[in-house]
Amino acid sequence: LNNLKSLKLNSVPSKEIKVYHNQIDKNNVVTRSCVDVNLIKKLHEKYHDKALNILKTLSPEKAKIYDYSDFEIIETGKDYKFPIHDDTPNKLLSGVIYLYPKKNVGTIFYKNKYGDNKKEIEWKENRGVFFSRIERESWHSFRGDGNSNRVALVYNLNTLKIREVYNIEKKNYYIGMLRWKINPYLLRF
């Protein structure tokens, strides 16, 4: 936790977000890194089995198609709001670990894309929330609290086998892929 909290990040304006991408595959090869490679390897070594066991509990079939992990540091500006969304199909397991500050807005889950039945996982340093996405069902969002930027580690277990994700979820691959491709454009409005 202290290593992650001590990272030197660029200043993020209040209404913006910055994502620092870091990836490691199942052969322990870091393919791109904005954080020290040794820290990424240490995180992977220490937490991969735990994350994979969470995925096996939530969705045993998805655990079989794991390919690589993301360790993203995300700084959210104090006034930034990310819209309600469900994760992309490559994300088998999504985890958010709150790094700092001591108080902010946590991850907010909803029954649907309209924001019904809102439930927030309260922000607390070093608290994490993990979930396995399901197309058009795992709706969530996040935002700053208006007082200070929020910094979180987002730890995802991912796959390259997108068609298999849709088969496991019993969802239509073609509709899902179309939705995945146009979502960045839809989120702008």
Side-chain angles (χ1 to χ4, degrees):
L1 177 65
N2 289 331
N3 286 337
L4 293 170
K5 287 175 67 172
S6 68
L7 291 172
K8 302 295 182 220
L9 305 176
N10 296 331
S11 180
V12 175
S14 69
K15 293 188 177 187
E16 294 183 19
I17 186 172
K18 174 69 177 166
V19 180
Y20 298 86
H21 296 279
N22 306 281
Q23 227 176 56
I24 187 167
D25 69 15
K26 54 187 167 186
N27 296 318
N28 212 29
V29 176
V30 177
T31 55
R32 54 185 188 168
S33 179
C34 299
V35 175
D36 180 67
V37 171
N38 291 324
L39 179 55
I40 298 303
K41 287 183 178 183
K42 184 186 262 186
L43 289 169
H44 183 70
E45 182 179 308
K46 186 165 183 164
Y47 296 109
H48 177 72
D49 287 344
K50 292 175 184 177
L52 198 57
N53 284 333
I54 293 169
L55 179 58
K56 286 177 182 176
T57 299
L58 296 175
S59 183
E61 291 300 310
K62 286 184 181 179
K64 296 173 187 173
I65 60 173
Y66 164 80
D67 287 311
Y68 66 97
S69 298
D70 283 328
F71 291 93
E72 297 175 335
I73 304 297
I74 299 181
E75 183 169 4
T76 304
K78 67 179 185 156
D79 299 311
Y80 181 85
K81 295 178 181 175
F82 200 90
I84 297 172
H85 65 287
D86 60 342
D87 279 343
T88 55
N90 61 307
K91 294 181 181 180
L92 303 173
L93 180 74
S94 297
V96 182
I97 297 90
Y98 309 138
L99 299 179
Y100 62 89
K102 289 208 178 286
K103 191 130 179 86
N104 213 297
V105 177
T107 306
I108 306 161
F109 290 92
Y110 307 91
K111 179 181 179 179
N112 54 40
K113 67 180 178 180
Y114 306 109
D116 294 336
N117 295 6
K118 176 174 135 176
K119 180 181 180 181
E120 179 183 341
I121 305 303
E122 184 181 348
W123 181 280
K124 181 179 175 186
E125 280 188 350
N126 206 26
R127 173 177 281 162
V129 58
F130 286 82
F131 61 96
S132 181
R133 63 84 72 192
I134 299 174
E135 181 80 4
R136 302 183 66 95
E137 292 183 32
S138 52
W139 301 104
H140 60 287
S141 69
F142 58 93
R143 63 181 176 82
D145 67 357
N147 296 313
S148 56
N149 288 5
R150 73 195 281 282
V151 179
L153 168 66
V154 175
Y155 178 19
N156 296 315
L157 300 184
N158 299 304
T159 189
L160 299 170
K161 302 167 188 84
I162 306 303
R163 187 180 296 271
E164 290 181 46
V165 170
Y166 286 104
N167 287 338
I168 292 166
E169 293 179 357
K170 297 181 180 18
K171 304 289 183 171
N172 185 291
Y173 169 77
Y174 298 104
I175 292 172
M177 288 304 295
L178 176 63
R179 201 172 151 263
W180 186 27
K181 296 295 183 191
I182 63 172
N183 251 354
Y185 303 102
L186 294 177
L187 288 176
R188 292 182 191 167
F189 303 104

